[in-house]
Amino acid sequence: MDEPQGDRQRPRPTDPGSSPTLPDVAVDETRTRPDRPPHLRWGYLGVVALGGAVGTAVRAVLADLVPAVSGISWTILAINVVGAFCLGLLLEALAHRGEDVGRRRQLRLFVGTGVLGGFTTYSTLAVDTAHLLVDGRWGAGSGYALLSVVLGVLAVVAGLGVAARVRPRQGTEA
């Protein structure tokens, strides 16, 4: 009688030198376990961390160059809008170039998650908005938060649109 394919890798209790399979005993499943997801791979984590360091450094330099005016950081607003546009552009461009594997995945993780994730900062937006609200500047705080979110969404849509327009069409040369 033929054994099922999956059972060949497990020792049988009747095989010489094997012990019965116990539910609490660790089993090496490296041959049958699928690849680890990207977020659990050290190489990808390093790519994201490096990109995050770059994006955060650029944001910090820009924020220091142009300080907030009357408690409103227009630089952070611009950074978040530009970052949203770039992310839409990047993801649309990569989505039409094939599967999210290899260099495309590394580029997405480095630039999209790392650089743009470190560059944009919605936590600073939240803190700046909270400071305006605590200071009793409800109109400025609400307007700043709403403007940031609306412009961010519009920037993503614009990035998607630009990438879709410049993408080579099927049947044409790139």
Side-chain angles (χ1 to χ4, degrees):
M1 179 176 204
D2 290 329
E3 285 182 315
Q5 187 78 7
D7 289 343
R8 287 187 190 161
Q9 296 170 352
R10 288 189 213 135
R12 296 267 188 208
T14 56
D15 291 344
S18 67
S19 60
T21 304
L22 301 174
D24 60 340
V25 174
V27 177
D28 179 21
E29 296 178 343
T30 54
R31 287 183 274 155
T32 59
R33 184 177 63 210
D35 289 334
R36 293 175 67 126
H39 68 278
L40 296 177
R41 295 183 192 173
W42 287 108
Y44 288 142
L45 291 173
V47 165
V48 170
L50 179 63
V54 169
T56 302
V58 171
R59 172 179 34 94
V61 167
L62 291 174
D64 285 346
L65 287 175
V66 185
V69 177
S70 298
I72 298 175
S73 179
W74 298 107
T75 305
I76 296 300
L77 174 71
I79 284 170
N80 288 338
V81 171
V82 168
F85 174 82
C86 291
L87 188 59
L89 188 72
L90 173 72
L91 295 181
E92 178 71 14
L94 289 177
H96 292 283
R97 284 184 169 68
E99 278 189 62
D100 184 37
V101 294
R103 287 188 175 169
R104 276 186 296 278
R105 178 176 286 168
Q106 288 179 337
L107 182 65
R108 178 183 58 83
L109 291 173
F110 177 73
V111 176
T113 305
V115 174
L116 294 175
F119 181 64
T120 59
T121 173
Y122 285 92
S123 61
T124 301
L125 163 69
V127 169
D128 289 348
T129 301
H131 284 297
L132 290 167
L133 297 176
V134 167
D135 290 344
R137 300 181 60 201
W138 288 87
S142 301
Y144 180 65
L146 185 62
L147 183 64
S148 295
V149 172
V150 168
L151 289 178
V153 170
L154 292 174
V156 167
V157 171
L160 293 171
V162 168
R165 282 187 171 268
V166 299
R167 178 180 73 233
R169 302 289 176 220
Q170 290 182 345
T172 63
E173 292 187 30

